[in-house]
Amino acid sequence: MTKPTADLTGLDEATHRLLTALDALDDAAIAAPSRLSGWTRGHLTTHLARNADALVNVLAGRPMYPSEDSRDTDIARGAPRPAAEQRADVRDSAQRLAGAFAALPADRWSTTAALRNGVTDRLDSLPLRRWVEVELHHIDLGIGRTVHDLPGAFTDRAVDYLTRRYEGHPALPPLDLRAEDGRSWYSGGHDGTRLVVAGAPTALVGWLSGRTTGSGLTVSGGTLPAAPAL
């Protein structure tokens, strides 16, 4: 298995956009509420930094986090830091992760590793998982970026990722998702009437990620539910 070059490139570009956006935030802006309930922007930037370090752990064969309590404590402790410290942390942790990806031997990309909450996945999925974190939390900062600004290369990959994430999910009915270009995906739970949900990949990602309520989508077979938390 060779490295997932396209996902690594997309992640690098998304990280650059995020760091550029963070350059414009002062201490007051970092301390302001984000779009995620109960979290400031400082919580989000700290989470992104610690998530990068957690993925470095996975690549090195270590547990992603020592414990859920330590993960939450690290985010809470880092959230009040000044903007300059937050930016440096996001930048430096992203560089550590990029270095770990670059150093991974070609024959290890197909290795399966443990993540959080009993989830396992192959190492070649980690660049996409991190790309999703960076793109969605950039939106969650509430500094002007929306789902409509997401690049097409990302939304194409994110629909695949999110539909796999929700396969068999008991909080969702069976889903038949259809993009305007003719692609389709099956996802959701196994009980109830199947919903047919159609729209552009951007609109599908917005709803599946919980960043929109489903604007831009058409639904037949029932009412569009809220997407479960990622």
Side-chain angles (χ1 to χ4, degrees):
M1 174 67 195
T2 57
K3 66 175 60 178
T5 303
D7 289 345
L8 288 164
T9 298
L11 170 58
D12 286 346
E13 293 171 350
T15 301
H16 177 74
R17 287 191 294 269
L18 173 66
L19 290 169
T20 299
L22 291 178
D23 282 340
L25 302 186
D26 59 16
D27 291 351
I30 282 287
S34 73
R35 291 181 175 177
L36 295 186
S37 178
W39 271 22
T40 66
R41 291 176 180 139
H43 283 89
L44 272 175
T45 49
T46 302
H47 162 62
L48 282 167
R50 300 290 72 76
N51 172 261
D53 285 337
L55 293 178
V56 171
N57 287 337
V58 173
L59 291 168
R62 298 186 294 266
M64 190 169 185
Y65 297 99
S67 68
E68 287 299 302
D69 285 345
S70 69
R71 172 186 177 274
D72 295 343
T73 297
D74 284 346
I75 293 171
R77 183 170 53 232
R81 293 174 299 167
E85 189 174 342
Q86 298 275 16
R87 283 193 294 272
D89 194 15
V90 174
R91 181 189 63 245
D92 294 348
S93 59
Q95 289 175 349
R96 288 191 292 271
L97 178 58
F101 280 139
L104 192 70
D107 61 356
R108 287 204 60 221
W109 284 105
S110 60
T111 302
T112 297
L115 303 178
R116 288 179 62 208
N117 302 321
V119 174
T120 61
D121 209 343
R122 287 168 36 137
L123 295 185
D124 59 10
S125 76
L126 297 190
L128 177 58
R129 284 178 173 270
R130 175 64 179 179
W131 191 6
V132 170
E133 289 280 328
V134 172
E135 293 282 16
L136 295 184
H137 286 324
H138 191 164
I139 292 170
D140 295 335
L141 286 169
I143 53 177
R145 191 167 178 81
T146 73
V147 295
H148 301 291
D149 298 310
L150 294 170
F154 172 74
T155 55
D156 285 345
R157 296 289 284 128
V159 175
D160 290 335
Y161 171 80
L162 292 167
T163 51
R164 289 196 306 271
R165 185 81 176 257
Y166 291 134
E167 284 178 358
H169 201 295
L172 290 171
L175 298 172
D176 179 356
L177 304 171
R178 302 178 184 179
E180 295 169 332
D181 59 9
R183 287 177 297 161
S184 62
W185 303 262
Y186 289 102
S187 190
H190 304 299
D191 298 324
T193 302
R194 183 172 295 278
L195 292 185
V196 178
V197 183
T202 297
L204 289 168
V205 169
W207 169 63
L208 286 167
S209 67
R211 270 61 186 182
T212 73
T213 58
S215 57
L217 298 174
T218 60
V219 185
S220 60
T223 302
L224 191 67
L230 287 172

